[in-house]
Amino acid sequence: MTTVENGCGPTETPTDIDIDALRDKYRAEREKRLRKEGSKQYIETTGQYAGFAEADPHTPFVERDVIDTDIDVAVLGGGFAGLLCGAYLKKAGVEDVHIIEQGGDFGGVWYWNRYPGIQCDNESYCYVPLLEELDFIPSKKFADGAEIYQHCRNIGKHFGLYDGAIFSTQVRDLKWDDSINRWRISTNRGDDIRARFVVLASGSFNRPKLPGIPGIKEFVDAGGHIFHSSRWDYDYTGGDASGGLEKLADKKVALIGTGATGVQLVPFLGRDSQHLYVFQRTPSTVDERNNSPTDPEWAKNLQPGWQKERQRNFHSWTFEGMALGQPDLVCDFWTELGRNTAARVLALPDPASMTPEQFMGIREEEDYKLMERLRRRIEALVDDPDTAESLKPYYRFLCKRPCSNDDYLQTFNRPNVTLVDVSETKGVERITDKGLVANGQEFEVDCIIFASGFEITTEISRRYAIDTVEGRDGVSLYDNWAHGYRTLHGMTSRGFPNQFFTGFTQVGISANISANYELQGEHIAYIIAEALDRGATTVEPTEEAQAAWGATIRETAVDTSAFDAECTPGYYNNEGGGQGEDAGEGIRSHLGEPYGPGFYAFGELLREWRDKGDLDGLVLRT
Ligand code: NDP
C-alpha cells in the first residue's frame, strides 16, 4: 500500500523558493546564534541555583528514618526508563527491585512537568509505553500530561513497583565495594543502601538547566519571582495544568525559551498575564496540531501487537526517512517530510535504482519546501509583519524538535503579548533587580519563567547528577568515559561490575523514546535474572567484548556531523559545539554514539545474543 492509498499522502508545499539563497540565510542565522561557550553557556542547578531543581512543588518533604539495607537491584530513576526496566525485571522473576527516585512518585518528566498546557507532542499511541499490556488507550492523539503521569503510576502498580520504591530521595554517591561485591548507594537522606545490581535510569530530561544570564540573584533579592517550567509554581500563578492562571492577572511575566515547553506555555500565559514578554532566541517550527479524541471504534478493532507495529511504522517514516510500500499510520507533522520525499521517489522513472545521494538530494529539497510552508503559515496567522518575520524558523527540519500548536502563533496578535527577539545578542543580555535587559532595553517584570530546557547533551556528570560514580579500584565512570563511551551494547562497562545503563549511549535508537527504554529494560533484566539464577556475584564485560563493541559502533556509524554542523545551535547538536579557545565540547549528537544499522537491527542483535544463552562477552564470577 502506498501512503496515498491509506488516505495520507504528500502535502502541498511551495515550489517558488531559491534554495541557494535559503542555504545562505540558514548559515547566517546559525552563525548569529552560535556562542563560543557552546553548552557551557548554561548554569547547572547546583549550589546557589539548587532550588530551581531540588524543590518539589508536588510532594511535601516528610522526615523518614535512614535506610540501611542490602537489596538485589536498585534502579535509579522512576520515569519511563526506570519503570520499564523495573517492569521487565519483575517479568523476568526478579522480585527484590527498588526504584530510587528524586520525585515523590513515579512519572519522571511527567511527574515534574505539570505546567499549563502540558501535552505529549508525539502521537501518544506510539509514545506511551505498554498500552497493550495495561489494556489502556490514551484519550486523544496528543494526550494530556496528567493522563501520562497516571499511566506511569499504573505501570508502577501493575508490576508491584511501589513495594520497596524509595521516593523523594536523591542519590549522592555510588561506589563499588569489592569486599561485599555490592554497590554502596548514599543519598541526601543519609541512607546506606547496598545493592547487588544497579541500573542508572535517569532519563534525558531529568535535570533542568538555566541560561547563564547574569543577575538572577539580584532579581530574586529585590523580590522578583522566578522558577523553571519543570517546577511550576501554581501557588504564585494560580490555576492548574488546564489553565486559569488567575493570579497572573496583575503580573508582568517574562518567558525565556521558545522550545517545545515554551510553545505549549505561551497561549496560557498570554491569556492570563497582565503582560507577557516572550524572549526568543531561536523560533521553533510550529505546525497545526489537529489533536483529536481517540475513536473508540478504531481502538476496539486494534489487533494484538498493534503498538509495536505502529512504533515501527512511525520510526520508518521519520528516522529512516521514508517507508515505501507502507501506509503512514501516524500521518502528522513528524512524518510529512518522509511522505513528501516518498512521493517524489515514486515519481522517478525507476525508483529502485535511486542512489543514496539522489535520495538525500530529494529529501533536502523537500525539507526546504516544507520549512517554507511553515514560514508562510506564520505570515498568514500573525498580524504584525515584524513579529511574523521574527517567528520564522530558518534551518533544516529536525535541526530542532518540531512542534505543533493551534494557539501559539495567534497569541502574538494579543495586545498584552510582546515578542522580544534576542537573536542578535545570542540571548537575553542581563537580569536586573527590576527585570531583563535585551537589545539595550530594560523590560520590568514581576516574574521570570525559564523554559530553558534540560541537561541533555552536556557532560555526563552534569546529566547523572550523582557526585561520585566509582567502579572497581575507585575508577570514576566520568573519567572512564571522558573520551567517549566504553560499553558492551551500550548497557554495561568494564570495571563497573553489576552496573547497567539506559539511554543514548552506544545503542540502536528508535524515534520513540519509550521504545528505547523498553528494549534496554528487557535486555538488562535478562542479564540480571541470568546472573542471579546462575549464582553469580558479579557480571561485567570482558575488555575484548567491550573493545569489539566500540569498534562496531565506529565502523557502522552514520556520519551526521555535516547536517549537525549546519544546524542552528540547540541541544540536538550540543549547542553547535561552540567555537574558539573557550569552546564547548564540539558538535555532539543528542543521540549519543548510535549503532549505525539502527534500532530494529540492534533489537535483533540483542535477541540473537540472548537466544544463544551463553552471555557472550560477559564474565560471571561466583
Ligand atoms: P529546549 O532546550 O528545547 O528549549 C530551551 C529554550 O530556551 C530555547 O528556546 C532556547 O533558545 C532558550 N534559551 C536558552 N538560553 C537562552 C538565553 N540565554 N536567552 C534566551 N533564550 C534562551 O527546552 P524545552 O523544555 O522546550 O524542551 C526540551 C525537550 O523536552 C524537548 O525538545 C522535548 O524533547 C521535551 N519536551 C517534550 C514535550 C512533549 O512531548 N510534550 C513538551 C516539552 C518538552 P535556543 O533555541 O536559541 O537555544
Coordinates of all heavy atoms in Angstrom, one line a residue, residues 359-393:
F359 N 18.6 10.2 -3.2 CA 17.6 10.3 -2.1 C 17.9 11.5 -1.2 O 16.9 12.2 -0.9 CB 17.7 9.0 -1.3 CG 16.8 9.0 0.0 CD1 15.5 9.0 -0.1 CD2 17.4 9.2 1.2 CE1 14.7 9.0 1.1 CE2 16.7 9.3 2.4 CZ 15.3 9.2 2.3
M360 N 19.1 11.7 -0.8 CA 19.4 12.8 0.1 C 19.1 14.1 -0.6 O 18.6 15.1 0.1 CB 20.9 12.7 0.6 CG 21.2 11.5 1.4 SD 20.1 11.3 2.8 CE 20.6 12.6 3.9
G361 N 19.4 14.2 -1.8 CA 19.1 15.4 -2.6 C 17.6 15.7 -2.6 O 17.2 16.9 -2.4
I362 N 16.8 14.7 -2.9 CA 15.4 14.9 -2.9 C 14.9 15.3 -1.6 O 14.1 16.2 -1.4 CB 14.7 13.6 -3.4 CG1 15.0 13.3 -4.9 CG2 13.2 13.7 -3.2 CD1 14.5 11.9 -5.4
R363 N 15.4 14.6 -0.6 CA 14.9 14.9 0.8 C 15.3 16.4 1.2 O 14.5 17.1 1.8 CB 15.5 13.9 1.8 CG 14.9 14.0 3.2 CD 15.3 12.8 4.0 NE 15.2 13.1 5.5 CZ 14.1 12.9 6.2 NH1 13.1 12.3 5.7 NH2 14.1 13.2 7.5
E364 N 16.5 16.8 0.8 CA 16.9 18.1 1.1 C 15.9 19.2 0.5 O 15.5 20.1 1.1 CB 18.3 18.4 0.7 CG 18.9 19.7 1.2 CD 20.3 20.0 0.8 OE1 20.9 19.1 0.2 OE2 20.8 21.1 1.1
E365 N 15.6 18.9 -0.8 CA 14.7 19.9 -1.5 C 13.4 19.9 -0.8 O 12.8 21.0 -0.6 CB 14.5 19.4 -2.9 CG 15.5 19.9 -3.9 CD 15.3 19.4 -5.3 OE1 14.1 19.2 -5.7 OE2 16.3 19.0 -5.9
E366 N 12.9 18.7 -0.5 CA 11.6 18.7 0.2 C 11.6 19.4 1.6 O 10.6 19.9 2.0 CB 11.1 17.2 0.3 CG 10.7 16.6 -1.0 CD 9.7 17.4 -1.8 OE1 8.7 17.9 -1.2 OE2 9.9 17.6 -3.0
D367 N 12.7 19.3 2.2 CA 13.0 19.9 3.5 C 12.8 21.4 3.4 O 12.1 22.1 4.1 CB 14.4 19.5 4.0 CG 14.7 20.0 5.4 OD1 14.3 21.1 5.8 OD2 15.3 19.2 6.2
Y368 N 13.5 22.0 2.3 CA 13.4 23.5 2.1 C 12.0 23.9 1.8 O 11.5 24.9 2.3 CB 14.3 23.9 1.0 CG 15.8 24.0 1.4 CD1 16.7 23.1 1.1 CD2 16.2 25.2 2.1 CE1 18.0 23.2 1.5 CE2 17.5 25.3 2.5 CZ 18.4 24.3 2.2 OH 19.7 24.5 2.6
K369 N 11.2 23.1 1.1 CA 9.9 23.4 0.7 C 9.0 23.3 1.9 O 8.1 24.2 2.2 CB 9.4 22.5 -0.4 CG 10.0 22.8 -1.7 CD 10.0 21.6 -2.7 CE 8.6 21.2 -3.1 NZ 8.5 20.0 -3.9
L370 N 9.2 22.3 2.7 CA 8.4 22.1 4.0 C 8.6 23.3 4.9 O 7.6 23.9 5.5 CB 8.7 20.8 4.6 CG 8.3 20.5 6.1 CD1 6.8 20.5 6.2 CD2 8.8 19.2 6.6
M371 N 9.8 23.7 5.1 CA 10.1 24.8 6.0 C 9.5 26.1 5.5 O 9.0 26.9 6.2 CB 11.6 24.9 6.2 CG 12.2 23.8 7.0 SD 11.6 23.6 8.7 CE 12.3 25.1 9.5
E372 N 9.5 26.2 4.2 CA 8.9 27.4 3.6 C 7.4 27.4 3.8 O 6.8 28.5 4.1 CB 9.2 27.5 2.1 CG 8.7 28.8 1.4 CD 9.4 30.1 1.9 OE1 10.5 30.0 2.5 OE2 8.9 31.1 1.7
R373 N 6.8 26.3 3.7 CA 5.3 26.2 4.0 C 5.1 26.7 5.5 O 4.1 27.4 5.7 CB 4.8 24.7 3.9 CG 3.4 24.6 4.3 CD 2.9 23.1 4.1 NE 3.3 22.2 5.2 CZ 2.9 22.3 6.4 NH1 2.1 23.2 6.8 NH2 3.3 21.4 7.3
L374 N 5.9 26.2 6.4 CA 5.7 26.6 7.8 C 6.0 28.1 8.0 O 5.3 28.8 8.8 CB 6.7 25.8 8.7 CG 6.4 24.3 8.8 CD1 7.5 23.6 9.5 CD2 5.1 24.1 9.5
R375 N 6.9 28.7 7.2 CA 7.2 30.1 7.4 C 6.0 30.9 6.8 O 5.6 31.9 7.4 CB 8.5 30.5 6.6 CG 9.7 30.1 7.4 CD 11.0 30.6 6.8 NE 11.3 30.0 5.5 CZ 12.1 29.0 5.3 NH1 12.7 28.4 6.4 NH2 12.4 28.5 4.1
R376 N 5.4 30.4 5.7 CA 4.3 31.2 5.1 C 3.0 31.1 6.0 O 2.2 31.9 6.0 CB 4.0 30.7 3.7 CG 5.1 31.1 2.8 CD 4.9 30.9 1.3 NE 6.2 31.1 0.6 CZ 6.3 30.9 -0.7 NH1 5.3 30.5 -1.4 NH2 7.5 31.1 -1.2
R377 N 2.9 30.0 6.7 CA 1.8 29.8 7.7 C 1.9 30.9 8.7 O 0.9 31.4 9.2 CB 2.0 28.4 8.3 CG 0.9 28.0 9.2 CD 0.9 26.6 9.6 NE -0.2 26.4 10.5 CZ 0.0 26.5 11.8 NH1 1.1 26.8 12.4 NH2 -1.1 26.3 12.6
I378 N 3.1 31.2 9.1 CA 3.3 32.3 10.1 C 2.8 33.6 9.6 O 2.0 34.4 10.3 CB 4.7 32.4 10.6 CG1 5.1 31.1 11.3 CG2 5.0 33.6 11.5 CD1 6.6 30.9 11.4
E379 N 3.2 33.9 8.4 CA 2.7 35.2 7.7 C 1.2 35.3 7.7 O 0.6 36.3 7.9 CB 3.2 35.3 6.3 CG 4.6 35.8 6.2 CD 5.1 35.6 4.7 OE1 4.3 35.5 3.8 OE2 6.4 35.6 4.6
A380 N 0.5 34.1 7.5 CA -0.9 34.1 7.4 C -1.6 34.3 8.8 O -2.7 34.8 8.8 CB -1.4 32.8 6.7
L381 N -0.9 33.9 9.8 CA -1.5 33.9 11.1 C -1.2 35.1 12.0 O -1.9 35.4 13.0 CB -1.2 32.6 11.9 CG -1.8 31.3 11.3 CD1 -1.3 30.1 12.0 CD2 -3.4 31.4 11.4
V382 N 0.0 35.7 11.8 CA 0.5 36.7 12.7 C 0.3 38.1 12.0 O 0.8 38.3 10.9 CB 2.0 36.4 13.1 CG1 2.5 37.6 14.0 CG2 2.1 35.1 13.8
D383 N -0.4 39.0 12.7 CA -0.8 40.3 12.1 C 0.4 41.2 11.8 O 0.6 41.7 10.7 CB -1.8 41.0 13.0 CG -3.0 40.2 13.2 OD1 -3.3 39.3 12.3 OD2 -3.8 40.5 14.1
D384 N 1.3 41.3 12.8 CA 2.4 42.3 12.7 C 3.5 41.7 11.9 O 4.1 40.7 12.3 CB 2.9 42.7 14.1 CG 4.1 43.6 14.0 OD1 4.0 44.6 13.4 OD2 5.2 43.2 14.6
P385 N 3.9 42.3 10.8 CA 4.9 41.7 9.9 C 6.3 41.5 10.5 O 6.9 40.5 10.3 CB 5.0 42.7 8.7 CG 3.8 43.6 8.8 CD 3.3 43.6 10.2
D386 N 6.7 42.5 11.4 CA 8.0 42.3 12.1 C 8.0 41.1 13.0 O 8.9 40.3 13.1 CB 8.3 43.6 12.8 CG 8.7 44.7 11.9 OD1 9.0 44.4 10.7 OD2 8.6 45.9 12.3
T387 N 6.8 41.0 13.8 CA 6.7 39.8 14.7 C 6.7 38.5 13.9 O 7.4 37.6 14.2 CB 5.4 40.0 15.5 OG1 5.5 41.2 16.2 CG2 5.3 38.9 16.6
A388 N 6.0 38.6 12.8 CA 5.9 37.3 11.9 C 7.3 37.0 11.4 O 7.7 35.8 11.5 CB 4.9 37.6 10.8
E389 N 8.0 38.0 11.0 CA 9.4 37.7 10.5 C 10.3 37.1 11.6 O 11.0 36.1 11.3 CB 10.0 39.0 10.0 CG 11.3 38.8 9.1 CD 11.1 37.8 7.9 OE1 10.0 37.8 7.3 OE2 12.0 37.0 7.7
S390 N 10.2 37.6 12.8 CA 11.0 37.1 13.9 C 10.6 35.6 14.2 O 11.4 34.9 14.7 CB 10.8 37.9 15.2 OG 11.4 39.2 15.0
L391 N 9.4 35.3 14.0 CA 8.9 34.0 14.4 C 9.3 32.9 13.4 O 9.0 31.7 13.6 CB 7.4 34.0 14.6 CG 6.9 34.6 15.9 CD1 5.4 34.9 15.8 CD2 7.2 33.7 17.1
K392 N 9.8 33.3 12.2 CA 10.1 32.4 11.2 C 11.4 31.6 11.4 O 12.4 32.1 11.6 CB 10.3 33.1 9.8 CG 8.9 33.6 9.3 CD 9.2 34.3 7.9 CE 7.9 35.0 7.5 NZ 8.2 35.8 6.3
P393 N 11.3 30.2 11.4 CA 12.5 29.4 11.5 C 13.3 29.3 10.3 O 12.7 28.9 9.2 CB 11.9 28.0 12.0 CG 10.5 28.0 11.3 CD 10.1 29.5 11.2

